[in-house]
Amino acid sequence: MPVFNYSSLCSLVVIFLSSASTAFACSDVTGTFQVFLEETNTFKTKRCRQVRKNPWSQCAKPEARQNCPVTCNSCPGDVTCRLKADLKFPQDASDVTAYHKDTVQVERKGNKSDPCFSGNNMTGWGCTHVGDAYLDTLSQTSGPIKDRESVRIFNGNSGEYRITVSHVFTEEEVLLTNAQTAESRANLVVKVNGSNILKRSFRHNKNKNKNSHTDYSIVYNEGANAVNPNVGFVNPTYNGDYFVDVKCDDQCNCQITKVDATCRLRARLTFPVIDEQSAYGYHANVLRIFNQDNEECSYENTVTSWCRAYGDAVLYNAEPNYYDYNTAYTANIPDAGGKTFDMNFERFVGPGEAAYGYSPTSSDLTLYANGNEFFTVTGESGNIPLRVSCNNNCSCSVSRLLEV
């Protein structure tokens, strides 16, 4: 008859219970804990929500890994899944005469209210944004000045992400040619655990034969390196936007796909060209755009995760033998498909009118979908409230709202 070893069974039970409790007990602490700071030889109180804001740095501390194992991706059986998207310019840019600026951001499906971009560089889901991607070969004779920009996701497992890359329209590039702008585009490299699994990079459209800025009637400060008020005359047909979708399973097997921007909404305020019949005086207009979360994109709030604004719509027709001023404003929304926006087209009454007199000449608001004009209206003495809706096929409609 076999001998039943009770003590061995108890050991097995204890081992099993210990392993099970370890697996099921892996969770972040809800209270505070202490982290030792070597540089000051002191302790600092932390919470896991603080670690979650910057796990790349915080999880290097053993106290954080011990108290926040879920955030630090250090539970038993966890699979490492570090995602990084680098936006950088070519190594050899010495033969390019240009100023070029692009930007990158990322949203996580289920966390769209917490995007990772220059205006929110540490998210609650473990993404960090660093840097500022630009190339400048105009300012220096000793060689190009450039910098990179990155978004880093600490734990990409079981997540879906949309990376957005957009060209940033600048004063420095207003007078540059299309060839100069096209040859200086930034490269986006997406890495999973340090590996470029696609063995390739991405860039925005070359925009053949399209300058970044068009239709300005007055050239200010001659020279491509000058600060140029015409930055608001963004070319409606210039396409500097694209997306890269990343989808990872729980084992960090990731699919990476480039997606073209199929519904670019652009709003532009422009005044008529000043001629001999133009009225003297000053006139300024403002366009405020609100998304479905009531976030504002405007001259006063130029950088959001869904919209960027450029320039300032101002007309100053001075008395003869003095300078004139005619500038524009443009707002760019790279992903408008299936969305609705409220717009308020306003006359701005400020110190300019008081100093130079009122001009009755208002600007025109023109809306473009993928570079195609679909609506225009001339400003009035008051405000014009509008609602703009675009379906998933980028067919956009406009209705005028009642003023409250």
Side-chain angles (χ1 to χ4, degrees), residues 95-404:
D95 59 343
V96 177
T97 302
Y99 188 100
H100 198 108
K101 183 173 172 60
D102 294 335
T103 190
V104 62
Q105 68 176 56
V106 62
E107 290 183 356
R108 186 181 192 272
K109 187 175 181 180
N111 296 87
K112 288 191 174 182
S113 62
D114 192 17
C116 188
F117 73 114
S118 60
N120 184 39
N121 58 10
M122 293 182 184
T123 72
W125 48 274
C127 178
T128 304
H129 175 282
V130 293
D132 183 20
Y134 72 94
L135 171 68
D136 180 6
T137 67
L138 304 175
S139 302
Q140 299 289 326
T141 57
S142 59
I145 303 172
K146 59 183 177 180
D147 201 357
R148 68 171 61 189
E149 189 173 336
S150 301
V151 286
R152 304 179 299 171
I153 300 169
F154 189 76
N155 182 10
N157 279 316
S158 303
E160 295 182 37
Y161 309 91
R162 166 151 285 194
I163 300 169
T164 302
V165 176
S166 292
H167 179 64
V168 179
F169 298 93
T170 63
E171 296 167 334
E172 291 86 349
E173 71 177 359
V174 169
L175 300 179
L176 295 179
T177 66
N178 165 257
Q180 291 169 320
T181 305
E183 293 305 318
S184 59
R185 292 167 294 157
N187 299 298
L188 180 74
V189 178
V190 181
K191 294 182 178 180
V192 180
N193 289 328
S195 176
N196 181 1
I197 61 176
L198 292 185
K199 310 295 184 188
R200 63 161 296 185
S201 60
F202 307 98
R203 293 198 291 182
H204 71 66
N205 193 293
K206 207 167 186 177
N207 290 285
K208 188 176 181 180
N209 299 323
K210 295 178 183 176
N211 290 338
S212 60
H213 295 78
T214 57
D215 304 328
Y216 47 87
S217 58
I218 302 175
V219 177
Y220 304 93
N221 300 326
E222 292 283 0
N225 194 35
V227 174
N228 200 306
N230 284 326
V231 65
F233 284 97
V234 172
N235 185 344
T237 66
Y238 190 95
N239 179 8
D241 307 300
Y242 66 91
F243 313 107
V244 176
D245 288 344
V246 181
K247 183 177 182 179
C248 301
D249 64 17
D250 59 0
Q251 297 299 305
C252 201
N253 299 305
C254 301
Q255 298 176 341
I256 304 172
T257 310
K258 183 182 179 183
V259 180
D260 291 328
T262 57
C263 193
R264 292 173 287 108
L265 178 62
R266 201 159 283 177
R268 206 172 185 226
L269 298 181
T270 55
F271 288 94
V273 174
I274 296 174
D275 58 25
E276 293 179 355
Q277 282 73 47
S278 299
Y280 293 124
Y282 181 97
H283 196 112
N285 285 114
V286 172
L287 181 67
R288 304 183 191 278
I289 306 176
F290 300 89
N291 67 3
Q292 289 162 303
D293 296 320
N294 205 36
E295 295 174 312
E296 179 178 335
C297 179
S298 66
Y299 169 79
E300 295 160 344
N301 190 36
T302 59
V303 178
T304 72
S305 64
W306 53 276
C307 171
R308 279 183 178 254
Y310 305 94
D312 187 16
V314 175
L315 176 75
Y316 174 39
N317 184 19
E319 295 292 335
N321 302 318
Y322 199 56
Y323 71 88
D324 295 330
Y325 202 76
N326 188 342
T327 58
Y329 167 90
T330 295
N332 182 48
I333 302 174
D335 188 16
K339 298 181 176 70
T340 296
F341 306 92
D342 285 348
M343 300 186 181
N344 201 26
F345 181 19
E346 308 171 5
R347 171 189 162 202
F348 178 76
V349 181
E353 280 192 15
Y356 306 117
Y358 168 67
S359 168
T361 305
S362 178
S363 64
D364 293 329
L365 166 62
T366 308
L367 302 180
Y368 303 84
N370 293 331
N372 298 310
E373 179 183 332
F374 68 89
F375 176 82
T376 186
V377 63
T378 300
E380 300 171 359
S381 58
N383 301 332
I384 302 177
L386 303 169
R387 177 160 292 168
V388 181
S389 299
C390 299
N391 64 20
N392 291 326
N393 295 320
C394 208
S395 175
C396 302
S397 60
V398 182
S399 57
R400 183 158 180 168
L401 302 176
L402 296 175
E403 291 194 59
V404 178

